[in-house]
Amino acid sequence: MRHDLILGQLDRDLACAIALNLVEEPGVVANLESITLHDSHMRPLGTVRDWLSDDSLDVATRDYLHARREASTAGMRRPGQTGWAVASGIKARDAANERARLARDLGRTLLVERGILAAAKRAGLKLLGVE
């Protein structure tokens, strides 16, 4: 577990668990560029840019978020697009989804090893897609 906190409030490993959609926390919005914390009334408490470091969990989280972004834009149908272009987009979306799945699986493994998911469960946070 890394002891430096995001905005003095959120453990960095837990932030990765939230970004990997393994822990539900509506007060945290994480993407590739930044992470924003909100209070119980959803008022922003602050934003940290470039929040992902070179830690192995951060790398897996970055890979996951990047692949999810690619998947959401790949395969989007555009006016006048040929069937071949649509099929190519679908293939790109499927490949990005597979990369996201692999990155999330690696992140889950690292979070289990670090005890973050067990700690989140003890804290009463809802775990998503975790056995």
Side-chain angles (χ1 to χ4, degrees), residues 66-90:
H66 189 264
R68 292 298 303 139
R69 181 176 286 174
E70 282 183 15
S72 70
T73 59
M76 292 176 62
R77 222 182 160 123
R78 292 170 188 85
Q81 210 173 18
T82 67
W84 290 108
V86 171
S88 178
I90 291 169

Short mmCIF file of all heavy atoms in Angstrom, two decimals, residues 66-90:
data_model
loop_
_atom_site.label_atom_id
_atom_site.label_comp_id
_atom_site.label_asym_id
_atom_site.label_seq_id
_atom_site.Cartn_x
_atom_site.Cartn_y
_atom_site.Cartn_z
N HIS A 66 -7.03 3.81 -20.86
CA HIS A 66 -6.74 4.10 -22.27
C HIS A 66 -7.51 3.15 -23.18
O HIS A 66 -8.11 3.59 -24.18
CB HIS A 66 -5.22 4.00 -22.51
CG HIS A 66 -4.82 4.49 -23.85
ND1 HIS A 66 -4.65 3.65 -24.93
CD2 HIS A 66 -4.57 5.74 -24.30
CE1 HIS A 66 -4.32 4.36 -25.97
NE2 HIS A 66 -4.25 5.63 -25.63
N ALA A 67 -7.51 1.87 -22.86
CA ALA A 67 -8.23 0.89 -23.69
C ALA A 67 -9.73 1.14 -23.67
O ALA A 67 -10.40 1.03 -24.70
CB ALA A 67 -7.91 -0.53 -23.21
N ARG A 68 -10.28 1.52 -22.52
CA ARG A 68 -11.72 1.81 -22.45
C ARG A 68 -12.06 3.04 -23.31
O ARG A 68 -13.09 3.07 -23.97
CB ARG A 68 -12.16 2.06 -20.99
CG ARG A 68 -12.08 0.83 -20.11
CD ARG A 68 -12.99 -0.31 -20.55
NE ARG A 68 -14.36 0.16 -20.62
CZ ARG A 68 -15.22 -0.17 -21.59
NH1 ARG A 68 -14.86 -0.98 -22.56
NH2 ARG A 68 -16.43 0.31 -21.59
N ARG A 69 -11.17 4.02 -23.29
CA ARG A 69 -11.40 5.21 -24.12
C ARG A 69 -11.38 4.81 -25.59
O ARG A 69 -12.22 5.25 -26.37
CB ARG A 69 -10.34 6.27 -23.83
CG ARG A 69 -10.54 7.53 -24.67
CD ARG A 69 -9.56 8.59 -24.32
NE ARG A 69 -9.92 9.17 -23.04
CZ ARG A 69 -9.17 10.06 -22.40
NH1 ARG A 69 -8.02 10.44 -22.90
NH2 ARG A 69 -9.58 10.55 -21.25
N GLU A 70 -10.40 4.00 -25.98
CA GLU A 70 -10.32 3.55 -27.37
C GLU A 70 -11.57 2.75 -27.76
O GLU A 70 -12.10 2.93 -28.85
CB GLU A 70 -9.09 2.68 -27.57
CG GLU A 70 -7.80 3.43 -27.70
CD GLU A 70 -6.62 2.51 -27.97
OE1 GLU A 70 -6.83 1.33 -28.34
OE2 GLU A 70 -5.49 2.98 -27.81
N ALA A 71 -12.02 1.89 -26.86
CA ALA A 71 -13.20 1.06 -27.16
C ALA A 71 -14.44 1.93 -27.35
O ALA A 71 -15.29 1.62 -28.19
CB ALA A 71 -13.43 0.04 -26.04
N SER A 72 -14.53 2.99 -26.58
CA SER A 72 -15.73 3.84 -26.68
C SER A 72 -15.76 4.64 -27.98
O SER A 72 -16.83 5.02 -28.44
CB SER A 72 -15.85 4.76 -25.48
OG SER A 72 -14.85 5.75 -25.51
N THR A 73 -14.60 4.92 -28.55
CA THR A 73 -14.58 5.68 -29.79
C THR A 73 -14.48 4.80 -31.03
O THR A 73 -14.91 5.20 -32.11
CB THR A 73 -13.42 6.69 -29.80
OG1 THR A 73 -12.19 5.99 -29.65
CG2 THR A 73 -13.58 7.71 -28.70
N ALA A 74 -13.92 3.61 -30.88
CA ALA A 74 -13.80 2.69 -32.03
C ALA A 74 -15.17 2.11 -32.35
O ALA A 74 -15.99 1.88 -31.48
CB ALA A 74 -12.82 1.58 -31.71
N GLY A 75 -15.41 1.87 -33.58
CA GLY A 75 -16.67 1.24 -33.98
C GLY A 75 -17.86 2.18 -34.02
O GLY A 75 -18.97 1.74 -34.28
N MET A 76 -17.62 3.46 -33.77
CA MET A 76 -18.72 4.42 -33.87
C MET A 76 -19.07 4.59 -35.34
O MET A 76 -18.20 4.84 -36.16
CB MET A 76 -18.33 5.76 -33.25
CG MET A 76 -18.16 5.69 -31.74
SD MET A 76 -17.59 7.23 -31.01
CE MET A 76 -18.92 8.32 -31.41
N ARG A 77 -20.31 4.44 -35.64
CA ARG A 77 -20.75 4.55 -37.03
C ARG A 77 -20.82 6.00 -37.46
O ARG A 77 -21.34 6.84 -36.75
CB ARG A 77 -22.13 3.92 -37.14
CG ARG A 77 -22.21 3.11 -38.37
CD ARG A 77 -23.56 2.52 -38.57
NE ARG A 77 -23.58 2.20 -39.97
CZ ARG A 77 -23.80 1.00 -40.43
NH1 ARG A 77 -24.08 0.03 -39.61
NH2 ARG A 77 -23.77 0.77 -41.71
N ARG A 78 -20.26 6.26 -38.62
CA ARG A 78 -20.26 7.61 -39.18
C ARG A 78 -21.06 7.62 -40.48
O ARG A 78 -21.08 6.62 -41.19
CB ARG A 78 -18.83 8.05 -39.42
CG ARG A 78 -18.05 8.25 -38.13
CD ARG A 78 -16.57 8.45 -38.38
NE ARG A 78 -15.81 8.45 -37.15
CZ ARG A 78 -15.36 7.37 -36.53
NH1 ARG A 78 -15.61 6.17 -37.01
NH2 ARG A 78 -14.67 7.46 -35.42
N PRO A 79 -21.68 8.74 -40.79
CA PRO A 79 -22.45 8.82 -42.03
C PRO A 79 -21.58 8.50 -43.24
O PRO A 79 -20.44 8.95 -43.34
CB PRO A 79 -22.93 10.27 -42.07
CG PRO A 79 -22.84 10.75 -40.67
CD PRO A 79 -21.73 9.98 -40.02
N GLY A 80 -22.12 7.70 -44.14
CA GLY A 80 -21.43 7.38 -45.38
C GLY A 80 -20.33 6.35 -45.24
O GLY A 80 -19.59 6.09 -46.19
N GLN A 81 -20.21 5.75 -44.10
CA GLN A 81 -19.16 4.76 -43.87
C GLN A 81 -19.49 3.45 -44.59
O GLN A 81 -20.64 3.01 -44.58
CB GLN A 81 -19.03 4.51 -42.36
CG GLN A 81 -17.68 4.14 -41.91
CD GLN A 81 -17.61 4.09 -40.38
OE1 GLN A 81 -18.62 4.01 -39.71
NE2 GLN A 81 -16.41 4.14 -39.87
N THR A 82 -18.48 2.84 -45.18
CA THR A 82 -18.70 1.56 -45.86
C THR A 82 -18.81 0.43 -44.85
O THR A 82 -18.42 0.58 -43.69
CB THR A 82 -17.53 1.24 -46.81
OG1 THR A 82 -16.36 0.99 -46.02
CG2 THR A 82 -17.28 2.37 -47.79
N GLY A 83 -19.31 -0.68 -45.30
CA GLY A 83 -19.42 -1.86 -44.44
C GLY A 83 -18.06 -2.33 -43.94
O GLY A 83 -17.92 -2.78 -42.81
N TRP A 84 -17.04 -2.20 -44.81
CA TRP A 84 -15.69 -2.60 -44.40
C TRP A 84 -15.17 -1.72 -43.28
O TRP A 84 -14.53 -2.19 -42.34
CB TRP A 84 -14.72 -2.54 -45.60
CG TRP A 84 -15.00 -3.60 -46.60
CD1 TRP A 84 -15.56 -3.43 -47.83
CD2 TRP A 84 -14.75 -5.00 -46.46
NE1 TRP A 84 -15.67 -4.64 -48.47
CE2 TRP A 84 -15.18 -5.63 -47.64
CE3 TRP A 84 -14.23 -5.79 -45.45
CZ2 TRP A 84 -15.09 -6.99 -47.86
CZ3 TRP A 84 -14.13 -7.16 -45.66
CH2 TRP A 84 -14.56 -7.74 -46.85
N ALA A 85 -15.44 -0.44 -43.37
CA ALA A 85 -14.99 0.50 -42.33
C ALA A 85 -15.70 0.22 -41.00
O ALA A 85 -15.09 0.27 -39.93
CB ALA A 85 -15.22 1.93 -42.77
N VAL A 86 -16.99 -0.11 -41.07
CA VAL A 86 -17.76 -0.45 -39.87
C VAL A 86 -17.18 -1.71 -39.24
O VAL A 86 -16.95 -1.77 -38.02
CB VAL A 86 -19.26 -0.63 -40.19
CG1 VAL A 86 -20.00 -1.19 -38.99
CG2 VAL A 86 -19.87 0.69 -40.63
N ALA A 87 -16.91 -2.72 -40.06
CA ALA A 87 -16.35 -3.97 -39.56
C ALA A 87 -14.97 -3.75 -38.93
O ALA A 87 -14.65 -4.32 -37.89
CB ALA A 87 -16.26 -5.01 -40.68
N SER A 88 -14.18 -2.90 -39.55
CA SER A 88 -12.86 -2.58 -39.00
C SER A 88 -12.97 -1.88 -37.65
O SER A 88 -12.21 -2.16 -36.72
CB SER A 88 -12.10 -1.69 -39.99
OG SER A 88 -10.86 -1.32 -39.47
N GLY A 89 -13.93 -1.00 -37.53
CA GLY A 89 -14.16 -0.31 -36.26
C GLY A 89 -14.61 -1.27 -35.17
O GLY A 89 -14.18 -1.15 -34.02
N ILE A 90 -15.45 -2.21 -35.54
CA ILE A 90 -15.92 -3.20 -34.56
C ILE A 90 -14.75 -4.06 -34.09
O ILE A 90 -14.61 -4.35 -32.90
CB ILE A 90 -17.05 -4.05 -35.15
CG1 ILE A 90 -18.30 -3.19 -35.32
CG2 ILE A 90 -17.34 -5.27 -34.29
CD1 ILE A 90 -19.40 -3.84 -36.13
#
